Amino acid sequence: MDLDMKINRVLDDYRRWQDGERMIAKELPQAVSREGFLKAKLSHLEKIRRKYTGTENIEERIALIAIKEDVKRLEERLYPNRGRSFLLRLFRPLLLKKELKREALGEKQAQEQLRDEVARIGFGQAKEKIDRLIAKGVPAFKVPVSYYTAADRKMDFLLHFKTDGDGKYEMTGYDAALTMEGSETVVRGQSFTRDAPFTALHVQHLLEGRAVQLNDQAWRQLDFNDRDASGDFVMKVFPPDYGFDLEKEINKLAAGIDKEELEQKLKDGEAAMIELEISGKKECFEVTADPQYGRLLIQGTSGKRVGLNELLNPKKEQEVNLSVANSQNLAHMNVRKHGLTIV
């Protein structure tokens, strides 16, 4: 969206009041003509005038002139006594100034909370663009965020924002897409609401095909063979009582590894790197969690995945010792670019 696009904030605020008035009139027709309601309307229109006084937007200035006429008509209806009307005009600006100050503080706090929410999910570098659009008064907008996870893999996000009934901004959700280049380019996309408990990193790992475990201890994984009515992949959920015991599976590994670190990586959906010594020969392997079948999957340089139990099968009469791989030795196998780029 063009950041220089002129938005008529005056009309946006006025329309929000009109929408509420029409809703009340539909359910309680007499209410909108009562004195209390008309006083509230007069106060709201005055706040709009004070809030946008000095605007350089010609369309907003024209709207303010029209609202000024509405204010005048309401004053004449509510306060036919000229003396009382004069006193109200004298003291109302002071009361409105205090109220506008409180509202501005509330809007600032709401915007800071929005910034914190965006950063917590993993889109911190989008905050400046979000702030610029909010400052323009855009009622609804989208912000794209992109970054590479590897030389041949790219994540694209489109964050959705709009104002709520009070005019405060909220993120309603986001769309995510993973592009994997190779002999054939594969693109996987999924939409998430603001209530989705995932971070950007979780979403990346989900689209890469791995499972993640959240605070409710349930594992979640996308089913790339099934879609819901909206066209998104179905989310498979494996609750705690499903029976997958990650700690038990990790304990099958030999001593010498940082099991807590490995457990956290697997819960986050990472493909963790470990080093295995088989018959005196060291090899680097990738390990991932497979909650659906209650196991860990091990993948070597051949690209073939096997279950941990199969790898440790005693019939093979192989002594297996596992340890955390030295990060420097494994760097060439796990190159990642984490810098976010706003596009």
Side-chain angles (χ1 to χ4, degrees):
M1 178 177 291
D2 185 359
L3 291 181
D4 295 326
M5 178 181 176
K6 296 297 183 182
I7 305 298
N8 196 324
R9 299 166 297 173
V10 177
L11 284 182
D12 284 340
D13 276 4
Y14 186 55
R15 285 167 183 155
R16 275 195 290 272
W17 174 272
Q18 284 184 315
D19 290 342
E21 184 173 340
R22 280 193 290 268
M23 188 179 299
I24 293 174
K26 184 177 179 180
E27 302 295 332
L28 302 168
Q30 303 300 321
V32 294
S33 61
R34 290 172 182 162
E35 182 178 348
F37 183 88
L38 295 176
K39 286 182 178 181
K41 183 175 183 177
L42 175 60
S43 176
H44 183 75
L45 295 181
E46 280 282 28
K47 281 196 294 183
I48 293 177
R49 289 183 60 206
R50 301 286 173 179
K51 185 176 181 179
Y52 299 111
T53 295
T55 176
E56 296 181 359
N57 184 331
I58 185 64
E59 294 181 357
E60 290 181 345
R61 290 164 63 182
I62 292 173
L64 286 174
I65 293 173
I67 287 178
K68 183 178 180 180
E69 293 299 318
D70 283 350
V71 167
K72 183 178 179 181
R73 285 192 291 270
L74 281 171
E75 285 180 338
E76 291 173 351
R77 180 176 177 178
L78 288 168
Y79 310 110
N81 184 292
R82 292 186 176 182
R84 188 180 180 189
S85 177
F86 173 79
L87 291 174
L88 286 170
R89 290 180 181 178
L90 182 65
F91 291 106
R92 187 185 296 139
L94 297 176
L95 298 174
L96 288 175
K97 185 177 181 180
K98 291 182 179 179
E99 189 170 350
L100 286 171
K101 187 176 181 180
R102 287 195 300 269
E103 288 186 0
L105 181 60
E107 290 175 358
K108 182 179 179 181
Q109 292 174 340
Q111 189 169 341
E112 289 176 352
Q113 290 176 355
L114 179 62
R115 287 166 60 92
D116 291 342
E117 178 184 1
V118 169
R120 177 184 56 79
I121 297 174
F123 306 116
Q125 290 195 20
K127 292 188 293 185
E128 291 184 4
K129 190 168 186 178
I130 294 169
D131 287 344
R132 290 199 300 271
L133 287 166
I134 289 177
K136 289 287 183 179
V138 182
F141 58 88
K142 301 175 184 179
V143 175
V145 175
S146 298
Y147 61 86
Y148 281 88
T149 66
D152 59 350
R153 296 197 174 194
K154 181 186 178 186
M155 286 296 305
D156 292 293
F157 295 90
L158 190 61
L159 317 183
H160 299 252
F161 299 88
K162 72 173 185 178
T163 53
D164 60 15
D166 297 324
K168 296 182 175 62
Y169 287 88
E170 62 180 3
M171 185 172 75
T172 58
Y174 56 92
D175 304 318
L178 168 66
T179 301
M180 298 174 287
E181 298 177 354
S183 57
E184 292 184 4
T185 298
V186 177
V187 180
R188 293 173 180 164
Q190 189 82 353
S191 297
F192 297 88
T193 65
R194 66 169 300 182
D195 298 325
F198 306 109
T199 65
L201 192 60
H202 285 148
V203 170
Q204 173 195 324
H205 293 159
L206 286 169
L207 289 174
E208 287 176 338
R210 296 187 293 277
V212 300
Q213 187 190 58
L214 303 177
N215 292 334
D216 62 0
Q217 304 304 307
W219 289 84
R220 288 166 173 81
Q221 188 172 18
L222 294 176
D223 186 347
F224 298 133
N225 297 314
D226 194 9
R227 294 181 182 270
D228 59 22
S230 65
D232 283 329
F233 295 115
V234 170
M235 185 73 71
K236 297 184 292 186
V237 181
F238 307 102
D241 58 6
Y242 181 79
F244 177 51
D245 190 335
L246 177 62
E247 183 178 358
K248 179 181 178 181
E249 292 300 310
I250 291 177
N251 284 334
K252 293 179 181 179
L253 303 176
I257 69 170
D258 188 335
K259 294 184 179 180
E260 290 186 2
E261 180 182 358
L262 178 59
E263 181 176 351
Q264 188 57 56
K265 286 183 177 181
L266 296 179
K267 286 180 177 180
D268 288 338
E270 288 192 42
M273 304 305 297
I274 60 175
E275 192 174 78
L276 293 72
E277 184 177 324
I278 303 177
S279 299
K281 182 180 179 181
K282 293 184 178 180
E283 293 184 42
C284 294
F285 289 83
E286 180 184 87
V287 57
T288 57
D290 185 15
Q292 183 167 359
Y293 295 99
R295 61 182 180 175
L296 299 182
L297 286 178
I298 309 293
Q299 179 175 313
T301 55
S302 66
K304 181 181 179 181
R305 286 186 175 181
V306 297
L308 180 62
N309 291 335
E310 180 182 349
L311 186 69
L312 301 181
N313 191 335
K315 293 181 180 180
K316 296 182 179 180
E317 298 182 353
Q318 295 175 327
E319 181 180 355
V320 181
N321 294 313
L322 297 91
S323 62
V324 174
N326 184 293
S327 59
Q328 294 179 349
N329 294 334
L330 297 176
H332 67 285
M333 298 185 65
N334 193 26
V335 177
R336 294 183 183 274
K337 297 180 181 180
H338 294 293
L340 293 180
T341 302
I342 307 302
V343 297

